[in-house]
Amino acid sequence: DAKTTQPNSMESNEEEPVHLPCNHSTISGTDYIHWYRQLPSQGPEYVIHGLTSNVNNRMASLAIAEDRKSSTLILHRATLRDAAVYYCILRDARYNNNDMRFGAGTRLTVKP
Amino acid sequence: DGGITQSPKYLFRKEGQNVTLSCEQNLNHDAMYWYRQDPGQGLRLIYYSQIVNDFQKGDIAEGYSVSREKKESFPLTVTSAQKNPTAFYLCASSVTGGDEKLFFGSGTQLSVL
C-alpha cells in the first residue's frame, strides 16, 4: 500500500510559485519525507528531504506540518524545466527497513 | 566520476527468452534497488538489496530474479515467466538510512519482439 497520497496532476504558470501537497497520515517517528522528480525518459532525481523542520535548498523548499501528517514541496518560481512528475515518499531511518516505495506522483505542467 | 550505470539503454526480448539488465555503481553504496515503470505510471519496486548476498522481494517480484555477489553490482534477470515485460526499468542505490538520498541510473527500456 502506498504510504503517501498526492494529486495526480497540477498546473502552474511560469515564474509563479508552485505548492505541491503530499499526505502521509500514517507516518512514523522514524520516517524521513523525501521528494524526487522525474523528467521524461530519465531516472528520478533527488529534490529535497526533511524530518520535522522545514528545509530549504537551491532547488526548492519543504514545508512539514507540525503533526507531520502532510508536507508541501514549494518551487518558488516555476520554470519550463520544472515540468516533471514529482514523487513524495517516506524513508525509514531504521537500518533494516530500507524498502523505498514510490506512488504515482504528481505531474506538474508549467505554462509559459 | 561517481555514479550509477545501467546497460543496455534499449533491450529486446524474444518470447521465452531470459534477459539480464545490468546495474553498476561506484558510489560505495550498500543498498540497491530495481523498479519497473509502465507508460504514464509511477515506479513499482521489484527487488532491493541492503547488503551483499542478501536481497528482498518488492511488490512485483514474480517473473524476475536478482543477485548481489558484489557490492557494486545488482543485475536483474527478466525471466520467461514474466509475461508482460515491456517497461522502463530503473536501478537505484543509496547509503542505508532515512537521511540518505537515492541515486538513479538512466534506465533500460525493455521491449518484446
Side-chain angles (χ1 to χ4, degrees), chain A:
Chain A
D1 291 338
K3 297 180 181 179
T4 63
T5 304
Q6 301 176 252
N8 290 334
S9 61
M10 292 185 66
E11 282 190 355
S12 172
N13 294 319
E14 195 175 12
E15 298 192 3
E16 290 186 356
V18 182
H19 290 232
L20 298 165
C22 181
N23 288 320
H24 28 79
S25 59
T26 59
I27 191 169
S28 75
T30 54
D31 283 332
Y32 281 79
I33 302 159
H34 285 243
W35 283 82
Y36 292 80
R37 72 179 187 182
Q38 185 179 22
L39 301 172
S41 301
Q42 294 185 25
E45 64 174 345
Y46 168 82
V47 178
I48 201 167
H49 77 282
L51 183 62
T52 57
S53 303
N54 294 345
V55 184
N56 300 298
N57 66 21
R58 64 176 180 81
M59 289 180 70
S61 295
L62 176 60
I64 301 173
E66 195 169 337
D67 63 6
R68 300 210 322 127
K69 293 185 176 182
S70 65
S71 61
T72 301
L73 179 70
I74 303 167
L75 307 179
H76 295 287
R77 289 184 65 198
T79 70
L80 297 178
R81 290 178 297 176
D82 291 323
V85 178
Y86 287 79
Y87 298 98
C88 165
I89 62 172
L90 302 180
R91 181 159 200 187
D92 198 325
R94 291 170 292 183
Y95 173 81
N96 62 344
N97 207 9
N98 268 274
D99 57 332
M100 293 282 284
R101 286 175 163 83
F102 286 69
T106 297
R107 183 174 299 277
L108 176 65
T109 302
V110 180
K111 298 182 288 184

Side-chain angles (χ1 to χ4, degrees), chain B residues 11-72:
Chain B
L11 186 60
F12 297 90
R13 192 191 90 166
K14 295 180 181 178
E15 193 171 338
Q17 185 183 42
N18 292 353
V19 292
T20 297
L21 284 61
S22 170
C23 179
E24 303 276 334
Q25 53 96 2
N26 60 4
L27 300 167
N28 200 34
H29 287 167
D30 283 314
M32 296 188 75
Y33 306 81
W34 274 107
Y35 295 91
R36 170 180 170 142
Q37 188 172 37
D38 293 287
Q41 305 296 312
L43 282 67
R44 291 187 290 170
L45 183 64
I46 305 173
Y47 269 99
Y48 66 102
S49 168
Q50 297 178 139
I51 198 168
V52 174
N53 292 322
D54 183 60
F55 47 82
Q56 308 295 327
K57 292 182 179 180
D59 296 323
I60 55 166
E62 186 174 349
Y64 301 96
S65 66
V66 293
S67 63
R68 187 82 187 277
E69 297 177 0
K70 299 186 297 182
K71 186 175 187 178
E72 56 270 23

